[in-house]
Amino acid sequence: MRFSFELKSDPDGSGPRAGVVHTPHGLVETPVFMPVGTQATVKTMSPAELEEVGAQIILSNTYHLYLRPGHELIAEAGGLHSFMAWHRPILTDSGGFQVFSLADIREVTEDGVRFQSHLDGSYHTLSPERVMEVENALGADIIMCFDECVAYPAERSYVEESVARTTRWARRCKAAHAREDQALFGIVQGGMYPELRARSAAELSDVGFPGYAIGGLSVGEPKKLMYEILDHTAPLLPVDKPRYLMGVGSVDAVLEGIARGIDMFDCVLATRIARHGSVMTASGRLIVRDAAYANDFGPLDPECNCLVCRTYSRAYIRHLLKAKEILGYRLTTYHNLHFLIGIVKGAREAILHGRYAEYMREIMLRQGFERRR
């Protein structure tokens, strides 16, 4: 099956939309949240458990897999799907965000980025061509162009230069991309400057990709500013191509993104806070590690029907977390992914039934958020 995207709702180009992404490893109904499996695993979760919580597609990271265990080994294993025994769709990011977060140990040139490994200090260079070589070897269904993700705040002059470089790198990525069974997405950059976002979107649309991501957001800017940039940027992307907001995974930000026509999301938030003893519930975030739950024998979320909430109590899970038992981290992670994936699935159903505004209002009210639009 070749990559394609079809809309199931009737969007005007900027509002909430429901669609289906077709990939060689199956269908993905959008909007969709993608759990992050940085190093070919979603932390503490098995592939079978990911299927149980409703994950349709997961994300893995090119930078980390390039450094360890190496893309050649993964290719020898038959590609990332075989290597990690996950047979549904996979998206790999380009490693751009990870490389550019290494501000003190990397050097940006027109050719690419020279950096030191965070593992052993060895030096490496990732160019657009090298990234395509690695991502082609990994074999994900959707792969990302190598881009420059600038920090927040950043001077306009540097962001303007970065946008031009990101476009040049995108052209080089498209030229070097060698597999027809992988869909290569472009990544719109431009920092917090609407005119540069417009320039990036126009240039990448001219290059032509089967999907487009919005990068460089959720990097420390206020959420109000992020939503303003989304308001400006999302309508500039082709209506008939999937739109992916990178690195966003809080309930409020996901719902706000969907309201603005975003189709795909990923973030480590749900799994990271789970390992620190926080869980997402219908009434907002709950810190189950707190002493208040030591004698609470109710479920994490009384309104949740996941395996964890049907089986285990807050008191038991708190005990596991305090004792640093691995099962505790597994249970909170399982619940958080089930909850967030369910929120997005509910959003899709609401869109198809013409009641997304009402759905979003109900969720935001119960979560204690004020809608920003």
Side-chain angles (χ1 to χ4, degrees), residues 11-72:
D12 62 4
S14 60
R17 42 198 244 156
V20 178
V21 175
H22 299 259
T23 82
H25 287 87
L27 306 179
V28 177
E29 295 183 333
T30 63
V32 64
F33 174 76
M34 301 180 286
V36 176
T38 302
Q39 304 196 65
T41 176
V42 177
K43 292 189 190 305
T44 79
M45 296 282 285
S46 71
E49 288 168 332
L50 288 170
E51 291 186 16
E52 288 175 11
V53 299
Q56 302 179 69
I57 176 174
I58 63 172
L59 178 147
S60 284
N61 182 261
T62 295
Y63 165 85
H64 288 282
L65 296 177
Y66 161 74
L67 290 177
R68 180 177 58 193
H71 58 290
E72 297 95 342

Short mmCIF file of all heavy atoms in Angstrom, two decimals, residues 11-72:
data_model
loop_
_atom_site.label_atom_id
_atom_site.label_comp_id
_atom_site.label_asym_id
_atom_site.label_seq_id
_atom_site.Cartn_x
_atom_site.Cartn_y
_atom_site.Cartn_z
N PRO A 11 -13.59 20.00 5.95
CA PRO A 11 -12.93 21.15 6.56
C PRO A 11 -12.89 22.35 5.63
O PRO A 11 -12.98 22.23 4.41
CB PRO A 11 -11.51 20.63 6.81
CG PRO A 11 -11.30 19.68 5.67
CD PRO A 11 -12.64 19.04 5.40
N ASP A 12 -12.72 23.52 6.23
CA ASP A 12 -12.58 24.73 5.43
C ASP A 12 -11.11 25.10 5.25
O ASP A 12 -10.80 26.16 4.71
CB ASP A 12 -13.32 25.90 6.07
CG ASP A 12 -12.78 26.24 7.45
OD1 ASP A 12 -11.78 25.62 7.88
OD2 ASP A 12 -13.35 27.13 8.10
N GLY A 13 -10.23 24.22 5.71
CA GLY A 13 -8.81 24.50 5.56
C GLY A 13 -8.12 24.84 6.85
O GLY A 13 -6.89 24.81 6.93
N SER A 14 -8.86 25.19 7.90
CA SER A 14 -8.20 25.58 9.15
C SER A 14 -8.87 25.00 10.40
O SER A 14 -8.27 24.99 11.46
CB SER A 14 -8.17 27.10 9.27
OG SER A 14 -9.49 27.63 9.28
N GLY A 15 -10.11 24.53 10.28
CA GLY A 15 -10.82 24.03 11.45
C GLY A 15 -10.55 22.56 11.70
O GLY A 15 -9.75 21.92 11.00
N PRO A 16 -11.21 21.97 12.71
CA PRO A 16 -10.98 20.56 13.05
C PRO A 16 -11.37 19.65 11.90
O PRO A 16 -12.35 19.89 11.20
CB PRO A 16 -11.88 20.35 14.27
CG PRO A 16 -12.91 21.42 14.19
CD PRO A 16 -12.23 22.60 13.57
N ARG A 17 -10.59 18.59 11.70
CA ARG A 17 -10.82 17.70 10.57
C ARG A 17 -10.50 16.26 10.96
O ARG A 17 -9.68 16.01 11.83
CB ARG A 17 -9.98 18.11 9.36
CG ARG A 17 -8.58 18.50 9.74
CD ARG A 17 -7.87 19.32 8.68
NE ARG A 17 -6.72 18.58 8.15
CZ ARG A 17 -6.18 18.77 6.98
NH1 ARG A 17 -6.69 19.66 6.15
NH2 ARG A 17 -5.14 18.08 6.58
N ALA A 18 -11.17 15.35 10.30
CA ALA A 18 -10.94 13.92 10.51
C ALA A 18 -10.53 13.31 9.18
O ALA A 18 -11.09 13.65 8.12
CB ALA A 18 -12.20 13.24 11.03
N GLY A 19 -9.55 12.41 9.22
CA GLY A 19 -9.08 11.81 7.98
C GLY A 19 -8.54 10.42 8.21
O GLY A 19 -8.64 9.85 9.31
N VAL A 20 -7.96 9.86 7.17
CA VAL A 20 -7.31 8.54 7.23
C VAL A 20 -6.01 8.62 6.46
O VAL A 20 -5.98 9.05 5.30
CB VAL A 20 -8.19 7.43 6.64
CG1 VAL A 20 -7.45 6.09 6.66
CG2 VAL A 20 -9.51 7.32 7.38
N VAL A 21 -4.92 8.23 7.13
CA VAL A 21 -3.62 8.11 6.48
C VAL A 21 -3.42 6.65 6.11
O VAL A 21 -3.56 5.76 6.95
CB VAL A 21 -2.49 8.58 7.42
CG1 VAL A 21 -1.12 8.34 6.78
CG2 VAL A 21 -2.65 10.05 7.77
N HIS A 22 -3.11 6.39 4.84
CA HIS A 22 -2.82 5.05 4.37
C HIS A 22 -1.31 4.86 4.30
O HIS A 22 -0.61 5.68 3.70
CB HIS A 22 -3.42 4.82 2.98
CG HIS A 22 -4.91 4.96 2.93
ND1 HIS A 22 -5.76 3.88 2.91
CD2 HIS A 22 -5.71 6.06 2.91
CE1 HIS A 22 -7.01 4.30 2.86
NE2 HIS A 22 -7.01 5.63 2.87
N THR A 23 -0.79 3.81 4.93
CA THR A 23 0.65 3.51 4.91
C THR A 23 0.86 2.04 4.57
O THR A 23 -0.08 1.24 4.64
CB THR A 23 1.31 3.80 6.28
OG1 THR A 23 1.09 2.68 7.15
CG2 THR A 23 0.77 5.07 6.92
N PRO A 24 2.09 1.65 4.24
CA PRO A 24 2.36 0.24 3.96
C PRO A 24 2.09 -0.69 5.14
O PRO A 24 1.94 -1.90 4.94
CB PRO A 24 3.86 0.25 3.60
CG PRO A 24 4.10 1.61 3.05
CD PRO A 24 3.24 2.51 3.87
N HIS A 25 2.03 -0.16 6.35
CA HIS A 25 1.78 -1.01 7.52
C HIS A 25 0.41 -0.76 8.13
O HIS A 25 0.18 -1.08 9.30
CB HIS A 25 2.88 -0.81 8.56
CG HIS A 25 4.18 -1.44 8.18
ND1 HIS A 25 5.12 -0.78 7.41
CD2 HIS A 25 4.68 -2.68 8.44
CE1 HIS A 25 6.15 -1.59 7.22
NE2 HIS A 25 5.92 -2.73 7.83
N GLY A 26 -0.51 -0.21 7.35
CA GLY A 26 -1.87 -0.07 7.83
C GLY A 26 -2.38 1.35 7.83
O GLY A 26 -1.67 2.30 7.48
N LEU A 27 -3.62 1.48 8.26
CA LEU A 27 -4.30 2.77 8.28
C LEU A 27 -4.10 3.48 9.61
O LEU A 27 -3.96 2.84 10.65
CB LEU A 27 -5.80 2.58 8.06
CG LEU A 27 -6.23 1.79 6.81
CD1 LEU A 27 -7.74 1.68 6.78
CD2 LEU A 27 -5.70 2.46 5.55
N VAL A 28 -4.12 4.80 9.55
CA VAL A 28 -4.08 5.63 10.75
C VAL A 28 -5.23 6.62 10.65
O VAL A 28 -5.29 7.42 9.72
CB VAL A 28 -2.75 6.41 10.88
CG1 VAL A 28 -2.78 7.31 12.10
CG2 VAL A 28 -1.57 5.44 10.94
N GLU A 29 -6.15 6.53 11.60
CA GLU A 29 -7.27 7.47 11.62
C GLU A 29 -6.84 8.74 12.34
O GLU A 29 -6.29 8.68 13.44
CB GLU A 29 -8.48 6.84 12.31
CG GLU A 29 -9.05 5.64 11.56
CD GLU A 29 -10.29 5.07 12.23
OE1 GLU A 29 -10.42 5.21 13.47
OE2 GLU A 29 -11.12 4.48 11.50
N THR A 30 -7.11 9.88 11.72
CA THR A 30 -6.71 11.16 12.29
C THR A 30 -7.93 11.97 12.71
O THR A 30 -9.00 11.79 12.14
CB THR A 30 -5.87 11.97 11.28
OG1 THR A 30 -6.69 12.27 10.13
CG2 THR A 30 -4.64 11.20 10.86
N PRO A 31 -7.74 12.87 13.71
CA PRO A 31 -6.49 13.19 14.40
C PRO A 31 -5.98 12.01 15.22
O PRO A 31 -6.75 11.16 15.66
CB PRO A 31 -6.86 14.38 15.27
CG PRO A 31 -8.33 14.30 15.46
CD PRO A 31 -8.87 13.69 14.21
N VAL A 32 -4.65 12.01 15.43
CA VAL A 32 -4.03 10.89 16.11
C VAL A 32 -2.90 11.39 17.01
O VAL A 32 -2.19 12.32 16.67
CB VAL A 32 -3.47 9.86 15.09
CG1 VAL A 32 -2.36 10.47 14.24
CG2 VAL A 32 -3.00 8.59 15.77
N PHE A 33 -2.78 10.72 18.17
CA PHE A 33 -1.61 10.96 19.04
C PHE A 33 -0.67 9.78 18.89
O PHE A 33 -1.10 8.61 18.99
CB PHE A 33 -2.01 11.11 20.50
CG PHE A 33 -0.81 11.21 21.41
CD1 PHE A 33 -0.09 12.39 21.49
CD2 PHE A 33 -0.38 10.12 22.15
CE1 PHE A 33 1.03 12.48 22.30
CE2 PHE A 33 0.74 10.20 22.96
CZ PHE A 33 1.45 11.38 23.03
N MET A 34 0.61 10.07 18.67
CA MET A 34 1.63 9.05 18.47
C MET A 34 2.51 8.94 19.72
O MET A 34 3.26 9.87 20.03
CB MET A 34 2.51 9.41 17.28
CG MET A 34 1.75 9.57 15.98
SD MET A 34 2.81 10.00 14.57
CE MET A 34 3.18 11.72 14.94
N PRO A 35 2.46 7.83 20.46
CA PRO A 35 3.40 7.63 21.56
C PRO A 35 4.84 7.65 21.05
O PRO A 35 5.12 7.22 19.92
CB PRO A 35 3.03 6.25 22.11
CG PRO A 35 1.61 6.05 21.68
CD PRO A 35 1.50 6.72 20.35
N VAL A 36 5.74 8.13 21.88
CA VAL A 36 7.14 8.27 21.48
C VAL A 36 7.94 7.07 21.96
O VAL A 36 8.03 6.81 23.16
CB VAL A 36 7.75 9.58 22.04
CG1 VAL A 36 9.23 9.66 21.70
CG2 VAL A 36 6.99 10.78 21.48
N GLY A 37 8.53 6.36 21.01
CA GLY A 37 9.43 5.25 21.31
C GLY A 37 10.83 5.62 20.88
O GLY A 37 11.35 5.11 19.89
N THR A 38 11.45 6.53 21.62
CA THR A 38 12.71 7.16 21.23
C THR A 38 13.73 6.15 20.74
O THR A 38 14.29 6.28 19.65
CB THR A 38 13.30 7.94 22.42
OG1 THR A 38 12.35 8.92 22.84
CG2 THR A 38 14.60 8.63 22.03
N GLN A 39 14.00 5.12 21.53
CA GLN A 39 15.06 4.17 21.21
C GLN A 39 14.48 2.81 20.82
O GLN A 39 14.91 1.78 21.29
CB GLN A 39 16.00 4.05 22.40
CG GLN A 39 16.57 5.41 22.81
CD GLN A 39 17.78 5.31 23.70
OE1 GLN A 39 18.82 4.84 23.28
NE2 GLN A 39 17.64 5.79 24.92
N ALA A 40 13.47 2.87 19.93
CA ALA A 40 12.79 1.67 19.44
C ALA A 40 12.00 0.98 20.54
O ALA A 40 11.77 -0.23 20.50
CB ALA A 40 13.77 0.69 18.78
N THR A 41 11.56 1.75 21.52
CA THR A 41 10.65 1.25 22.55
C THR A 41 9.94 2.42 23.21
O THR A 41 10.58 3.44 23.50
CB THR A 41 11.40 0.42 23.62
OG1 THR A 41 10.47 0.03 24.64
CG2 THR A 41 12.51 1.21 24.27
N VAL A 42 8.65 2.29 23.41
CA VAL A 42 7.93 3.25 24.24
C VAL A 42 8.19 2.80 25.68
O VAL A 42 7.82 1.69 26.06
CB VAL A 42 6.42 3.25 23.93
CG1 VAL A 42 5.68 4.19 24.88
CG2 VAL A 42 6.18 3.65 22.48
N LYS A 43 8.82 3.64 26.45
CA LYS A 43 9.37 3.22 27.74
C LYS A 43 8.33 2.49 28.59
O LYS A 43 7.24 2.98 28.81
CB LYS A 43 9.91 4.44 28.50
CG LYS A 43 11.14 5.06 27.87
CD LYS A 43 11.77 6.10 28.77
CE LYS A 43 12.85 6.90 28.06
NZ LYS A 43 13.90 6.07 27.47
N THR A 44 8.71 1.30 29.04
CA THR A 44 7.97 0.38 29.92
C THR A 44 6.85 -0.37 29.21
O THR A 44 6.22 -1.23 29.83
CB THR A 44 7.39 1.06 31.18
OG1 THR A 44 6.19 1.76 30.85
CG2 THR A 44 8.39 1.99 31.85
N MET A 45 6.59 -0.07 27.93
CA MET A 45 5.44 -0.68 27.25
C MET A 45 5.88 -1.69 26.21
O MET A 45 6.81 -1.45 25.43
CB MET A 45 4.61 0.41 26.56
CG MET A 45 3.98 1.41 27.51
SD MET A 45 2.52 0.77 28.34
CE MET A 45 1.33 0.86 27.00
N SER A 46 5.20 -2.83 26.16
CA SER A 46 5.43 -3.81 25.10
C SER A 46 4.57 -3.45 23.89
O SER A 46 3.57 -2.73 24.02
CB SER A 46 5.07 -5.21 25.58
OG SER A 46 3.65 -5.33 25.72
N PRO A 47 4.92 -3.94 22.69
CA PRO A 47 4.06 -3.70 21.53
C PRO A 47 2.62 -4.16 21.75
O PRO A 47 1.68 -3.48 21.32
CB PRO A 47 4.75 -4.51 20.42
CG PRO A 47 6.19 -4.50 20.81
CD PRO A 47 6.18 -4.60 22.32
N ALA A 48 2.43 -5.30 22.42
CA ALA A 48 1.06 -5.78 22.67
C ALA A 48 0.29 -4.80 23.54
O ALA A 48 -0.91 -4.55 23.32
CB ALA A 48 1.11 -7.16 23.33
N GLU A 49 0.95 -4.24 24.55
CA GLU A 49 0.28 -3.26 25.42
C GLU A 49 -0.04 -1.99 24.66
O GLU A 49 -1.08 -1.36 24.90
CB GLU A 49 1.16 -2.98 26.63
CG GLU A 49 1.22 -4.14 27.61
CD GLU A 49 2.30 -3.99 28.66
OE1 GLU A 49 3.33 -3.32 28.38
OE2 GLU A 49 2.12 -4.54 29.76
N LEU A 50 0.84 -1.58 23.74
CA LEU A 50 0.56 -0.40 22.93
C LEU A 50 -0.70 -0.62 22.09
O LEU A 50 -1.52 0.29 21.94
CB LEU A 50 1.75 -0.08 22.03
CG LEU A 50 2.98 0.50 22.73
CD1 LEU A 50 4.16 0.56 21.79
CD2 LEU A 50 2.67 1.89 23.29
N GLU A 51 -0.84 -1.82 21.56
CA GLU A 51 -2.06 -2.12 20.81
C GLU A 51 -3.28 -2.08 21.72
O GLU A 51 -4.35 -1.58 21.34
CB GLU A 51 -1.94 -3.50 20.14
CG GLU A 51 -0.92 -3.54 19.02
CD GLU A 51 -0.92 -4.87 18.30
OE1 GLU A 51 -1.90 -5.64 18.47
OE2 GLU A 51 0.04 -5.16 17.56
N GLU A 52 -3.14 -2.58 22.95
CA GLU A 52 -4.25 -2.57 23.90
C GLU A 52 -4.74 -1.16 24.21
O GLU A 52 -5.94 -0.93 24.36
CB GLU A 52 -3.84 -3.27 25.20
CG GLU A 52 -3.71 -4.78 25.10
CD GLU A 52 -3.17 -5.39 26.39
OE1 GLU A 52 -3.12 -4.66 27.41
OE2 GLU A 52 -2.81 -6.58 26.38
N VAL A 53 -3.82 -0.21 24.33
CA VAL A 53 -4.22 1.16 24.67
C VAL A 53 -4.68 1.94 23.45
O VAL A 53 -5.09 3.10 23.57
CB VAL A 53 -3.10 1.93 25.40
CG1 VAL A 53 -2.74 1.23 26.70
CG2 VAL A 53 -1.87 2.14 24.52
N GLY A 54 -4.61 1.33 22.27
CA GLY A 54 -5.14 1.96 21.07
C GLY A 54 -4.15 2.70 20.21
O GLY A 54 -4.56 3.46 19.31
N ALA A 55 -2.85 2.51 20.43
CA ALA A 55 -1.85 3.19 19.61
C ALA A 55 -1.94 2.70 18.17
O ALA A 55 -1.89 1.50 17.91
CB ALA A 55 -0.46 2.97 20.17
N GLN A 56 -2.06 3.63 17.23
CA GLN A 56 -2.11 3.28 15.82
C GLN A 56 -0.76 3.40 15.15
O GLN A 56 -0.46 2.71 14.18
CB GLN A 56 -3.09 4.20 15.08
CG GLN A 56 -4.50 4.21 15.60
CD GLN A 56 -5.36 5.17 14.80
OE1 GLN A 56 -5.65 4.93 13.63
NE2 GLN A 56 -5.75 6.27 15.42
N ILE A 57 0.07 4.31 15.65
CA ILE A 57 1.36 4.62 15.06
C ILE A 57 2.24 5.13 16.18
O ILE A 57 1.76 5.79 17.11
CB ILE A 57 1.20 5.68 13.92
CG1 ILE A 57 2.57 6.09 13.37
CG2 ILE A 57 0.41 6.88 14.39
CD1 ILE A 57 2.47 7.02 12.15
N ILE A 58 3.52 4.81 16.14
CA ILE A 58 4.45 5.31 17.15
C ILE A 58 5.61 6.02 16.46
O ILE A 58 5.84 5.87 15.25
CB ILE A 58 4.98 4.19 18.06
CG1 ILE A 58 5.79 3.17 17.25
CG2 ILE A 58 3.85 3.52 18.81
CD1 ILE A 58 6.50 2.15 18.12
N LEU A 59 6.33 6.80 17.24
CA LEU A 59 7.46 7.57 16.74
C LEU A 59 8.75 7.04 17.34
O LEU A 59 8.81 6.72 18.53
CB LEU A 59 7.28 9.05 17.10
CG LEU A 59 8.40 10.03 16.71
CD1 LEU A 59 7.81 11.38 16.38
CD2 LEU A 59 9.44 10.18 17.82
N SER A 60 9.79 6.94 16.50
CA SER A 60 11.13 6.63 17.00
C SER A 60 12.09 7.71 16.51
O SER A 60 11.78 8.46 15.58
CB SER A 60 11.59 5.25 16.54
OG SER A 60 10.96 4.24 17.30
N ASN A 61 13.28 7.75 17.12
CA ASN A 61 14.17 8.88 16.90
C ASN A 61 15.44 8.49 16.15
O ASN A 61 16.20 7.63 16.59
CB ASN A 61 14.54 9.51 18.25
CG ASN A 61 15.43 10.71 18.08
OD1 ASN A 61 16.64 10.59 18.22
ND2 ASN A 61 14.85 11.83 17.74
N THR A 62 15.65 9.16 15.03
CA THR A 62 16.79 8.87 14.17
C THR A 62 18.12 9.12 14.87
O THR A 62 19.06 8.32 14.75
CB THR A 62 16.69 9.70 12.89
OG1 THR A 62 15.54 9.27 12.16
CG2 THR A 62 17.93 9.57 12.03
N TYR A 63 18.23 10.23 15.58
CA TYR A 63 19.49 10.57 16.25
C TYR A 63 19.91 9.46 17.22
O TYR A 63 21.05 8.98 17.19
CB TYR A 63 19.31 11.90 16.99
CG TYR A 63 20.40 12.21 18.01
CD1 TYR A 63 21.58 12.81 17.61
CD2 TYR A 63 20.22 11.92 19.36
CE1 TYR A 63 22.58 13.11 18.54
CE2 TYR A 63 21.20 12.21 20.29
CZ TYR A 63 22.38 12.81 19.88
OH TYR A 63 23.36 13.10 20.79
N HIS A 64 19.01 9.04 18.07
CA HIS A 64 19.35 8.04 19.08
C HIS A 64 19.64 6.68 18.45
O HIS A 64 20.58 5.98 18.86
CB HIS A 64 18.23 7.91 20.11
CG HIS A 64 18.13 9.09 21.03
ND1 HIS A 64 18.99 9.27 22.08
CD2 HIS A 64 17.29 10.15 21.05
CE1 HIS A 64 18.69 10.39 22.71
NE2 HIS A 64 17.66 10.94 22.11
N LEU A 65 18.86 6.29 17.44
CA LEU A 65 19.07 4.98 16.83
C LEU A 65 20.32 4.97 15.96
O LEU A 65 20.96 3.92 15.80
CB LEU A 65 17.84 4.58 16.02
CG LEU A 65 16.57 4.38 16.85
CD1 LEU A 65 15.39 4.05 15.95
CD2 LEU A 65 16.76 3.28 17.89
N TYR A 66 20.67 6.11 15.39
CA TYR A 66 21.92 6.22 14.64
C TYR A 66 23.12 5.99 15.55
O TYR A 66 24.07 5.28 15.19
CB TYR A 66 22.00 7.61 13.99
CG TYR A 66 23.38 8.04 13.58
CD1 TYR A 66 24.00 7.50 12.46
CD2 TYR A 66 24.06 9.02 14.31
CE1 TYR A 66 25.27 7.91 12.08
CE2 TYR A 66 25.32 9.43 13.94
CZ TYR A 66 25.93 8.87 12.83
OH TYR A 66 27.20 9.28 12.46
N LEU A 67 23.07 6.57 16.76
CA LEU A 67 24.18 6.40 17.70
C LEU A 67 24.19 5.02 18.35
O LEU A 67 25.25 4.45 18.63
CB LEU A 67 24.10 7.48 18.79
CG LEU A 67 24.40 8.92 18.35
CD1 LEU A 67 24.22 9.87 19.53
CD2 LEU A 67 25.81 9.04 17.78
N ARG A 68 22.99 4.47 18.60
CA ARG A 68 22.90 3.17 19.27
C ARG A 68 21.53 2.55 18.99
O ARG A 68 20.52 3.20 19.26
CB ARG A 68 23.08 3.36 20.80
CG ARG A 68 23.00 2.09 21.61
CD ARG A 68 23.25 2.35 23.09
NE ARG A 68 22.32 3.32 23.64
CZ ARG A 68 22.45 3.92 24.84
NH1 ARG A 68 23.51 3.66 25.59
NH2 ARG A 68 21.55 4.77 25.28
N PRO A 69 21.46 1.38 18.37
CA PRO A 69 22.53 0.44 18.06
C PRO A 69 23.16 0.63 16.70
O PRO A 69 24.05 -0.12 16.31
CB PRO A 69 21.80 -0.90 18.10
CG PRO A 69 20.45 -0.58 17.56
CD PRO A 69 20.13 0.79 18.11
N GLY A 70 22.71 1.63 15.93
CA GLY A 70 23.19 1.87 14.58
C GLY A 70 22.19 1.44 13.54
O GLY A 70 21.56 0.38 13.66
N HIS A 71 22.03 2.28 12.50
CA HIS A 71 21.01 1.98 11.50
C HIS A 71 21.36 0.75 10.66
O HIS A 71 20.47 0.07 10.16
CB HIS A 71 20.79 3.19 10.59
CG HIS A 71 22.02 3.67 9.89
ND1 HIS A 71 23.06 4.28 10.54
CD2 HIS A 71 22.37 3.61 8.57
CE1 HIS A 71 24.00 4.60 9.66
NE2 HIS A 71 23.61 4.20 8.47
N GLU A 72 22.68 0.45 10.52
CA GLU A 72 23.06 -0.73 9.75
C GLU A 72 22.55 -2.00 10.42
O GLU A 72 22.05 -2.91 9.77
CB GLU A 72 24.58 -0.80 9.58
CG GLU A 72 25.17 0.36 8.79
CD GLU A 72 25.68 1.47 9.69
OE1 GLU A 72 25.27 1.50 10.89
OE2 GLU A 72 26.47 2.30 9.22
#
